[in-house]
Amino acid sequence: KSNKKPWMLSGIWYVFLGKLNEDMKAQGRYIALITDNAPTNPLPEKLPIEYTGPKLPILDRVILFYLPLNTTAWLQPLDARIIRYLKADYQQ
């Protein structure tokens, strides 16, 4: 999916969650999905202001867990290492 800006839209997030939930239902599985708290990944219960996108999914096979604010780099060491090396390379 693409848009004019280089980030994901909330509607795409909801479509992804709905498809993931249906896939898990077809497989007879339940999963936990850990995600960051980006504004484009809102809880299905907390719609963005003036949301006009696709229908909200009912998640009966997927449980969402959101990382705490400002902890993504600390909890994802690979991201932290990549950012560190990118900054070091850029400064040289």
Side-chain angles (χ1 to χ4, degrees):
K1 303 287 181 181
S2 64
N3 60 353
K4 293 180 182 179
K5 298 180 181 181
W7 56 72
M8 187 173 73
L9 299 172
S10 297
I12 296 171
W13 172 245
Y14 292 139
V15 169
F16 166 76
L17 288 177
K19 174 137 179 43
L20 181 63
N21 190 71
E22 291 303 315
D23 290 347
M24 294 302 105
K25 190 179 289 186
Q27 295 177 28
R29 299 172 66 190
Y30 294 87
I31 64 165
L33 180 66
I34 300 172
T35 184
D36 62 1
N37 51 16
T40 55
N41 299 348
L43 285 166
E45 301 86 40
K46 294 184 179 180
L47 285 175
I49 297 172
E50 299 178 14
Y51 177 75
T52 59
K55 187 176 110 175
L56 299 179
I58 297 172
L59 303 177
D60 57 349
R61 299 292 178 135
V62 176
I63 299 172
L64 294 175
F65 289 101
Y66 286 85
L67 296 174
L69 290 173
N70 302 319
T71 59
T72 302
W74 294 102
L75 297 174
Q76 294 177 336
L78 178 60
D79 286 350
R81 189 173 301 132
I82 290 170
I83 292 168
R84 183 179 72 209
Y85 286 123
L86 181 65
K87 286 181 180 179
D89 189 48
Y90 177 76
Q91 289 173 349
Q92 288 179 354

